[in-house]
Amino acid sequence: ANFIVAVHQLQRYPVDLYYLADVSVSMQENLDQLKTVGVALSQRMTEHSSDLHLGFGSFVDKPVSPYINVHPSKINNPCSDYEVRCRPAHGYHHVLSMTSNITEFNRVIKRQRISGNMDTPEGGLDAMLQAGVCQREVGWRTGAKRLLLLMTDQPSHLALDSRLAGIVRPNDGLCHLENNVYTASTRMDHPSLNQLSDKLLENHIYSIFAVEQQQYHWYKELVDLLPGSYLGKLDQFQASNLIELVVDAYTRLLSEVELEVLVEEGAASRYWLSVSPLCPDGSTAKAHSCSGVLPNQTVYFNITIGMRSCPDDGDDTDVTVMVRPVGYNESTVVRVHSHCRCRCGTPGRCRDAGQSQCGADSTPTNREAPGRPVHAYSRDSEQSPAGRRTPCRAEGAALECGGRGVCECGRCVCEQSKLGTVYGTYCEMDDFSCPYDDGLLCGGRGGCVSGECVCDVGWTGESCGCPATTETCQSADGTVCSGRGRCQCGRCVCDAPQYSGTLCEKCPVCQSTCQSHWKCVDCHLAHGLPQGESGHCNQTCAPLVGYVDYVSEDLWSQCVYVRRSDSCHFRFYATPGVGLTQLYISTRPECASNTGPVRTFIYVFAFTVLCGLAMVTVSRLLWQRRGWPPGGTAVDVDFRSSGK
């Protein structure tokens, strides 16, 4: 049997990002840097997601010997030798569930304290599994892209390492959180890489490793064994470096579309699988993945399932095949029915006893309710015996029901998606795969059809964010963008770089100087600014001239003309028109009085004299009160001619 799965990249996914931090002593400075990441990362991720939630957890190692010092004085404070107060070692603590409250995230991070252990490797993989499988406790959202960020400066323990502590019970892959503390850390071994990979894929989680340079090669070999993971090298755990790593990892992981196909346990040996991806650039990758996939592009996977043998009892059987893109929150369950026993129908042909007999005009039943598996049809069943196009395939379409439903009784039964509703005659419409604007599909101003927004009346643009009218681009005189540009999405786009302003009204390098209009203004002033008699100045004035009562001083293009006869100021401004410049002259002059300077001088002189007299009077009164001159009598001195 052959069928096709289409994986379509959306542009702006909701994102859940869970920080899983190593809080051993060596991570003290790195933890301090993490305290400044929350707000900056939230602002940066708005470029890629309309809805970011953050969570936090911490780990050290299994709190048993020989991983920690079990001396009573060291259990409660592993850092007592350094005269530092530390928290006890722990396998994994879930600290903060997913939240959009960045302030709360920062507050929780600032309260974190370091811990300590004895050996070099840490229990990061053990904590990763718990953070991945404890869905309810962590608060992973169903419709979000899930990112698990591990921050550490040391390698991690692997499966069987726990035998050093006498722990031989394998990890069961289940959640063991009680009051947000991992309670089975001292009872179960670390998970194997295969087990960790399966649990992360099962819960649709991308893993990001943020490690320091000296540990990069150790984690490079580990990441190669974990599908849907990304490794970032940080020379220093600076906040800016960590933000760039998260953003880069998010964009790269989304651009890698990989498919995993699994036959149910116990039946895999009887079936063989072939997966051939068709990438957006037209190439057919040998692996089950395509790289460099951009938002709104689709990858098609052609999947063929063959049968090697029937069950031992030879009976017809049903098996389920799980098809899921790595890191996506959706999967497709395909039910494969094997024909090991057939009953004879028309001579020469075998027919399944349960085969539907309904025709193209029958009423279909919705067999695609949530949780109901999708049937796998053989390649021959996609066409009628004569090879005609089925009524479930739109004209020119490569897939029945647009690859988003199954054809039953000649009609499309659309699939159920966790992201939204799929509908339409050929399942060509949905309410989730179109561009978003302000967090709303098509900006809330249109509908989504075949991945494109069909905008309401009065709106246009890819996400219906642009008004269809040009009213916001019109100048006061009704021209669009002052005749120097075009209106795009409600804003003026100027024709040339020398034009600027919201209406392309500014042009410092090309606008006529104020002085070039002085002769025209002088002519109109000489005739007394008569209404209806401006024709006297036609030979002097190149532009069209009009009169206004007032010209604002805030007007960017205003000019001033000073009349020599009385030094009166006349304001005017020019606006470019179609073919001619329009000149507007204010009829209200600003004239300074001729007596103004003289009057100002008199006021200043009088004020100065009055102040001087007042000071002399006050000084004389003070001298008299203090008995000046001495003795109370005046002394007359007669300077006669004595040669001295």
Side-chain angles (χ1 to χ4, degrees):
N2 174 266
F3 60 96
I4 294 176
V5 172
V7 181
H8 182 70
Q9 281 281 42
L10 300 186
Q11 189 167 13
R12 295 172 67 85
Y13 290 94
V15 175
D16 284 350
L17 175 60
Y18 190 79
Y19 284 88
L20 188 56
D22 175 3
V23 293
S24 57
V25 176
S26 59
M27 288 285 290
Q28 174 67 69
E29 294 182 1
N30 304 331
L31 190 61
D32 291 339
Q33 289 294 329
L34 181 61
K35 296 175 182 179
T36 64
V37 166
V39 175
L41 177 63
S42 177
Q43 294 174 347
R44 181 67 187 280
M45 283 297 290
T46 57
E47 303 172 9
H48 306 278
S49 173
S50 57
D51 188 8
L52 174 66
H53 283 204
L54 299 176
F56 181 78
S58 65
F59 70 92
V60 183
D61 207 341
K62 291 185 179 296
V64 293
S65 178
Y67 308 122
I68 68 168
N69 191 329
V70 294
H71 189 278
S73 64
K74 300 289 186 180
I75 292 179
N76 292 327
N77 184 16
C79 309
S80 58
D81 290 345
Y82 306 99
E83 297 182 355
V84 176
R85 183 66 185 176
C86 288
R87 61 190 293 193
H90 53 278
Y92 166 61
H93 280 181
H94 168 57
V95 181
L96 178 66
S97 299
M98 291 296 175
T99 177
S100 60
N101 189 339
I102 306 302
T103 302
E104 175 65 13
F105 176 81
N106 289 336
R107 187 183 66 83
V108 168
I109 298 299
K110 291 178 181 179
R111 284 171 29 199
Q112 298 306 306
R113 291 186 294 121
I114 58 172
S115 182
N117 61 329
M118 294 185 63
D119 64 336
T120 298
E122 314 292 6
L125 303 188
D126 210 7
M128 284 182 67
L129 189 141
Q130 288 300 303
V133 299
C134 296
Q135 297 281 300
R136 179 178 57 83
E137 290 80 0
V138 172
W140 296 108
R141 292 179 295 167
T142 302
K145 280 293 181 185
R146 303 173 179 181
L147 305 181
L148 176 58
L149 174 65
L150 179 76
M151 297 176 54
T152 183
D153 61 349
Q154 301 295 344
S156 296
H157 280 296
L158 302 174
L160 303 182
D161 283 0
S162 297
R163 294 192 176 190
L164 292 173
I167 302 174
V168 297
R169 179 183 173 186
N171 197 299
D172 60 10
L174 302 177
C175 178
H176 294 279
L177 282 185
E178 293 182 10
N179 297 322
N180 294 327
V181 177
Y182 178 33
T183 58
S185 178
T186 59
R187 302 197 308 268
M188 291 193 304
D189 193 9
H190 299 278
S192 66
L193 291 180
N194 183 65
Q195 185 181 33
L196 177 61
S197 174
D198 286 345
K199 291 301 178 181
L200 293 179
L201 289 174
E202 179 182 321
N203 292 284
H204 316 292
I205 295 174
Y206 286 118
S207 55
I208 304 173
F209 293 86
V211 301
E212 290 189 342
Q213 186 172 4
Q214 59 267 28
Q215 304 299 337
Y216 181 81
H217 293 289
W218 192 93
Y219 280 95
K220 178 66 171 64
E221 297 180 1
L222 182 144
V223 165
D224 292 339
L225 301 175
L226 294 176
S229 60
Y230 177 84
L231 174 62
K233 177 172 59 177
L234 298 177
D235 295 334
Q236 292 180 340
F237 270 98
Q238 299 294 332
S240 58
N241 295 342
L242 187 60
I243 291 172
E244 290 300 325
L245 185 148
V246 172
V247 173
D248 185 57
Y250 176 73
T251 54
R252 288 195 183 187
L253 289 172
L254 284 186
S255 67
E256 182 81 14
V257 179
E258 182 179 359
L259 197 69
E260 184 183 43
V261 184
L262 299 173
V263 180
E264 72 177 48
E265 188 175 355
S269 61
R270 302 202 310 268
Y271 293 86
W272 58 267
L273 295 169
S274 174
V275 180
S276 301
L278 178 60
C279 301
D281 59 2
S283 63
T284 54
K286 293 182 180 180
H288 295 178
S289 65
C290 291
S291 300
V293 181
L294 300 176
N296 295 324
Q297 289 186 336
T298 302
V299 180
Y300 296 97
F301 292 91
N302 190 5
I303 303 174
T304 303
I305 302 179
M307 201 174 172
R308 291 192 177 97
S309 62
C310 286
D312 294 337
D313 56 10
D315 290 336
D316 294 350
T317 57
D318 287 353
V319 297
T320 57
V321 178
M322 175 71 72
V323 181
R324 58 188 181 195
V326 176
Y328 283 69
N329 293 359
E330 293 183 282
S331 60
T332 297
V333 179
V334 181
R335 183 175 64 86
V336 180
H337 182 74
S338 64
H339 294 273
C340 289
R341 289 184 178 181
C342 296
R343 71 177 182 85
C344 291
T346 304
R349 296 185 60 189
C350 290
R351 184 183 64 199
D352 179 11
Q355 184 175 352
S356 174
Q357 302 294 327
C358 58
D361 57 347
S362 301
T363 302
T365 58
N366 188 355
R367 296 162 63 184
E368 297 308 307
R372 185 68 182 265
V374 179
H375 289 273
Y377 294 90
S378 69
R379 185 178 306 175
D380 294 337
S381 68
E382 293 183 359
Q383 294 183 345
S384 63
R388 297 189 303 272
R389 179 175 62 84
T390 67
C392 293
R393 182 179 298 160
E395 185 176 355
L399 300 172
E400 282 190 346
C401 304
R404 304 199 295 179
V406 294
C407 185
E408 293 196 359
C409 302
R411 298 184 183 181
C412 286
V413 178
C414 302
E415 65 186 11
Q416 300 297 314
S417 171
K418 295 178 181 178
L419 294 178
T421 304
V422 180
Y423 59 100
T425 304
Y426 303 108
C427 301
E428 76 280 8
M429 304 177 70
D430 62 62
D431 60 1
F432 58 86
S433 63
C434 283
Y436 284 72
D437 185 32
D438 293 333
L440 299 176
L441 187 76
C442 300
R445 297 179 287 268
C448 184
V449 179
S450 299
E452 295 183 358
C453 290
V454 178
C455 303
D456 297 338
V457 177
W459 296 95
T460 185
E462 183 182 13
S463 57
C464 300
C466 302
T469 64
T470 61
E471 293 180 359
T472 56
C473 298
Q474 292 181 358
S475 307
D477 58 358
T479 60
V480 176
C481 301
S482 304
R484 295 174 170 176
R486 59 193 182 281
C487 189
Q488 289 186 355
C489 198
R491 297 182 179 179
C492 286
V493 178
C494 303
D495 292 335
Q498 62 265 31
Y499 302 134
S500 61
T502 56
L503 300 175
C504 301
E505 76 280 8
K506 300 179 181 180
C507 184
V509 298
C510 65
Q511 184 180 4
S512 298
T513 62
C514 294
Q515 189 174 359
S516 63
H517 297 300
W518 282 359
K519 289 184 179 181
C520 179
V521 175
D522 183 70
C523 179
H524 281 265
L525 293 177
H527 289 84
L529 299 177
Q531 295 290 344
E533 298 184 14
S534 58
H536 296 290
C537 301
N538 285 344
Q539 295 181 351
T540 308
C541 295
L544 300 174
V545 179
Y547 303 138
V548 294
D549 290 337
Y550 175 71
V551 176
S552 172
E553 295 183 4
D554 297 330
L555 187 64
W556 182 84
S557 57
Q558 67 148 335
C559 298
V560 176
Y561 173 75
V562 181
R563 189 163 55 187
R564 295 182 180 179
S565 60
D566 52 8
S567 298
C568 288
H569 293 64
F570 289 85
R571 297 185 183 275
F572 66 94
Y573 66 95
T575 59
V578 181
L580 287 176
T581 299
Q582 177 72 50
L583 200 66
Y584 295 94
I585 306 173
S586 173
T587 58
R588 295 185 179 182
E590 300 173 10
C591 300
S593 174
N594 293 332
T595 61
V598 177
R599 185 178 301 171
T600 302
F601 173 77
I602 295 174
Y603 288 157
V604 173
F605 178 79
F607 179 76
T608 304
V609 172
L610 290 175
C611 288
L613 292 175
M615 291 178 62
V616 171
T617 303
V618 172
S619 300
R620 188 171 182 83
L621 290 174
L622 291 175
W623 290 346
Q624 289 179 354
R625 286 186 179 181
R626 294 180 180 179
W628 185 267
T633 59
V635 179
D636 294 332
V637 180
D638 184 15
F639 292 97
R640 299 182 182 273
S641 178
S642 59
K644 296 184 180 180

